[in-house]
């Protein structure tokens, strides 16, 4: 199996939902929500890609970083790479349903584990979607992170109990899912959370809790205040609000404010190991990958996902060699022009 074959197969299986464009930049699929595009004009999706692409790298080759170390530790677990699978659901209405939710969840969990890393699983308009992800994590011996949509408090607490029973590594909430069109269409109420509501949720579990959907310094501070164990800088792939900044545009400011107190993870427009290097240079500790892994799963299942992640990790390692970074900790703003 190679990535060319994976992409060809995915193009057939995703027909009518994703064009598997040569460059996944949100232009061809603007406004296609449900679907794979960005909301409205698609500006937020496009900004993710464009802002990341605007950063250039300083090439350095007079150094001793000949065999860089890409390993990363998250919540005590050693990973081969700082590249993780993002939480995703909605295979029928977003991707056409060639994979059902159970097949998708098992592919992302097993593919990530084979590549030496972790996947997150998602929550969606059908509550069974969340359970499919948790079930797949159980098969992966708890090595995965389920994310819960910002549902009503009682529902969130029920979903938390399910995660605890499954003995997962950590749990999260994609607060950026507040107001999701796909949830609204299916009668599943979601919305913003107050500080008090987040404190109630986080204090009710002993699991490390990740808040995904942080796009400002003030909300990063709130996340720390309410007890988040990590944050994800994310605009939900540009799928919830038109005309937000790209995540690469605001990442360094947020990372500087957090100042190492908790891990800062980021997603949005990351398509290669070089993109991963840029995000780490801007202050991220790790990254989440979404659309590229959808294509890989539809084109090659768990094996396709593992191949994509190993390819990106090898690209990251090569980029580290050519920028003089022997470890992830050595990647900083000096890498960027």
């Amino acid at each position: 199996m190679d990535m060319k074959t994976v992409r060809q197969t995915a193009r057939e299986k995703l027909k009518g939902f994703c064009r598997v464009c040569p460059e996944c930049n949100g232009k061809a699929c603007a406004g296609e929500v449900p679907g794979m595009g960005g909301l409205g004009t698609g500006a937020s999706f496009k900004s993710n890609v464009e802002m990341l692409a605007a950063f250039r790298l300083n090439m350095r080759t007079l150094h001793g970083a000949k065999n860089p170390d890409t390993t990363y530790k998250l919540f005590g677990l050693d990973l081969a790479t700082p590249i993780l699978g993002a939480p995703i659901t909605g295979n029928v209405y977003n991707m056409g349903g060639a994979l059902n939710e159970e097949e998708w969840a098992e592919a992302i969990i097993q593919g990530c584990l084979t590549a030496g890393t972790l996947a997150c699983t998602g929550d969606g308009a059908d509550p069974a979607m969340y359970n499919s992800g948790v079930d797949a994590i159980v098969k992966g011996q708890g090595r995965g992170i389920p994310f819960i949509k910002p549902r009503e408090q009682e529902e969130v607490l029920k979903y938390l109990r399910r995660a605890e029973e499954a003995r997962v590594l950590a749990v999260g909430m994609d607060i950026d899912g507040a107001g999701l069109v796909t949830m609204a269409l299916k009668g599943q109420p979601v919305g913003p959370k107050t500080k008090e509501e987040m404190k109630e949720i986080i204090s009710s579990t002993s699991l490390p809790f990740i808040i995904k959907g942080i796009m400002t310094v003030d909300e990063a501070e709130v996340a720390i205040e309410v007890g988040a164990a990590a944050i994800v800088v994310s605009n939900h792939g540009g799928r919830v609000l038109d005309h937000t900044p790209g995540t690469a545009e605001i990442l360094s400011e947020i990372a500087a404010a957090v100042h190492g107190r908790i891990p800062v993870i980021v997603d949005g427009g990351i398509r290669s190991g070089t993109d991963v290097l840029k995000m780490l240079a801007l202050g991220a500790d790790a990254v989440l990958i979404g659309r590229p892994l959808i294509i890989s799963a539809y084109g090659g299942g768990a094996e396709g996902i593992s191949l994509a992640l190993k390819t990106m990790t090898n690209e990251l390692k090569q980029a580290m060699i050519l920028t003089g970074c022997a470890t992830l900790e050595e990647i900083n703003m000096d890498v960027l022009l």
Side-chain angles (χ1 to χ4, degrees):
M1 182 181 292
D2 58 33
M3 287 308 301
K4 182 178 179 181
T5 303
V6 166
R7 290 176 64 83
Q8 287 174 340
T9 304
R11 191 173 288 111
E12 295 165 9
K13 289 189 175 181
L14 288 164
K15 192 171 183 179
F17 291 84
C18 176
R19 298 157 184 83
V20 190
C21 298
E23 182 185 1
C24 180
N25 55 21
K27 293 180 180 178
C29 56
E32 295 181 4
V33 180
M36 293 279 282
L39 189 74
T41 67
S44 298
F45 179 175
K46 288 180 277 190
S47 289
N48 281 341
V49 177
E50 291 166 0
M51 292 301 102
L52 187 54
F55 288 99
R56 291 178 290 169
L57 300 174
N58 289 314
M59 187 169 75
R60 292 186 170 95
T61 53
L62 297 175
H63 55 74
K66 298 180 180 182
N67 186 31
D69 180 4
T70 64
T71 59
Y72 175 65
K73 186 186 289 283
L74 181 65
F75 303 138
L77 188 64
D78 291 316
L79 307 177
T81 177
I83 309 171
L84 287 70
I88 294 165
T89 56
N91 282 268
V92 171
Y93 48 79
N94 288 322
M95 306 159 216
L99 293 178
N100 62 35
E101 292 299 323
E102 292 80 6
E103 291 167 334
W104 159 258
E106 291 194 13
I108 188 85
I109 290 294
Q110 294 303 321
C112 286
L113 290 177
T114 301
T117 187
L118 287 174
C120 304
T121 59
D123 182 15
D126 181 350
M129 294 175 179
Y130 175 77
N131 288 326
S132 295
V134 175
D135 290 344
I137 294 172
V138 170
K139 291 180 182 178
Q141 298 181 324
R143 291 173 295 173
I145 304 171
F147 274 72
I148 304 166
K149 288 285 186 289
R151 299 172 175 274
E152 295 176 343
Q153 289 293 96
E154 307 77 34
E155 288 298 300
V156 171
L157 296 175
K158 279 200 309 189
Y159 282 45
L160 264 180
R161 300 291 87 81
R162 174 77 178 94
E164 290 168 345
E165 290 164 7
R167 300 188 177 184
V168 300
L169 178 69
V171 69
M173 175 177 285
D174 45 344
I175 195 74
D176 48 354
L180 258 180
V181 172
T182 49
M183 296 290 287
L185 289 173
K186 300 291 184 178
Q188 296 287 318
V190 291
K193 293 290 181 186
T194 66
K195 277 191 201 180
E196 292 70 26
E197 286 172 324
M198 288 309 303
K199 282 180 180 177
E200 178 189 13
I201 291 166
I202 294 172
S203 66
S204 75
T205 182
S206 60
L207 291 170
F209 197 99
I210 304 171
I211 299 180
K212 175 180 174 288
I214 301 298
M215 288 291 288
T216 61
V217 167
D218 63 296
E219 292 217 326
E221 293 289 357
V222 170
I224 293 171
E225 181 183 339
V226 299
I231 60 170
V232 181
V233 177
S234 175
N235 62 11
H236 210 88
R239 296 172 59 76
V240 292
L241 179 64
D242 210 357
H243 302 292
T244 69
T247 53
E249 194 174 353
I250 46 88
L251 172 60
S252 61
E253 184 182 12
I254 292 173
V258 171
H259 197 58
R261 287 177 284 173
I262 58 174
V264 175
I265 306 169
V266 67
D267 68 10
I270 301 162
R271 304 290 182 257
S272 67
T274 303
D275 287 341
V276 175
L277 180 81
K278 290 181 181 181
M279 287 299 203
L280 298 183
L282 289 166
D285 297 293
V287 304
L288 299 181
I289 305 297
R291 289 177 178 93
L293 295 191
I294 293 172
I295 290 167
S296 300
Y298 274 73
E303 186 180 353
I305 287 174
S306 178
L307 175 62
L309 289 166
K310 288 177 179 178
T311 298
M312 292 180 77
T313 300
N314 286 335
E315 291 168 349
L316 169 61
K317 189 171 184 177
Q318 184 69 8
M320 290 172 68
I321 290 172
L322 291 171
T323 54
C325 302
T327 66
L328 300 182
E329 291 73 25
E330 291 182 15
I331 302 172
N332 56 40
M333 292 289 284
D334 289 342
V335 165
L336 303 174
L337 184 63

